[in-house]
Amino acid sequence: MTSQSLNWWPMGACSLFFAILTLAALTGKLPWPMIWLYAAASLVTFVTYRIDKSAARQGSRRTPESTLHLLALMGGWPGALIAQQHLRHKSAKTSFQLVFGATVLLNCGALGLLSTQAGALRSMLSSV
């Protein structure tokens, strides 16, 4: 099995995640703006990966890995996942991937926890 045959899974995982977010919004478990927040964070994260990849090629100043992880933790992990595969950036570095996996789990766990705590997330975002 080649790496090319696995390229579908990041887009599939992100599509599934956004489908779950949409279902949660439809059922009132999450506020609708949450979908837009994740989409915006993913776009910013993807662009940041692209800038870092370009800097790596040019030998310029790089984006710190901690910044990439923070963006993923803040909800940009779908964009990071797609960038890692599409740009082939940070996808082979095991230590980075371990921390990235932890940021995805922490983000999804926090989202799940906040969405079930008697509407804590819904209340917090509705006041914005």
Side-chain angles (χ1 to χ4, degrees), residues 17-75:
F17 177 73
F18 278 99
I20 291 169
L21 280 181
T22 301
L23 182 62
L26 284 170
T27 59
K29 295 191 187 303
L30 285 176
W32 282 100
M34 185 59 60
I35 297 169
W36 294 109
L37 290 172
Y38 269 95
S42 292
L43 179 61
V44 167
T45 304
F46 184 91
V47 170
T48 304
Y49 268 74
R50 176 165 268 180
I51 291 168
D52 188 49
K53 176 74 174 190
S54 178
R57 285 182 176 160
Q58 296 173 359
S60 302
R61 186 167 180 225
R62 302 283 305 277
T63 303
E65 287 186 358
S66 60
T67 300
L68 298 175
H69 289 313
L70 181 61
L71 288 169
L73 183 62
M74 293 172 52

Side-chain angles (χ1 to χ4, degrees), residues 74-127:
M74 293 172 52
W77 67 264
L81 186 60
I82 292 170
Q84 288 171 16
Q85 296 302 310
H86 179 70
L87 304 172
R88 297 192 185 282
H89 190 53
K90 300 290 188 182
S91 59
K93 187 174 180 184
T94 304
S95 60
F96 184 88
Q97 286 299 307
L98 288 172
V99 176
F100 175 72
T103 65
V104 173
L105 291 175
L106 284 169
N107 178 269
C108 290
L111 178 65
L113 181 66
L114 289 171
S115 67
T116 60
Q117 293 295 321
L121 185 58
R122 195 174 326 110
S123 316
M124 184 172 67
L125 286 176
S126 66
S127 65

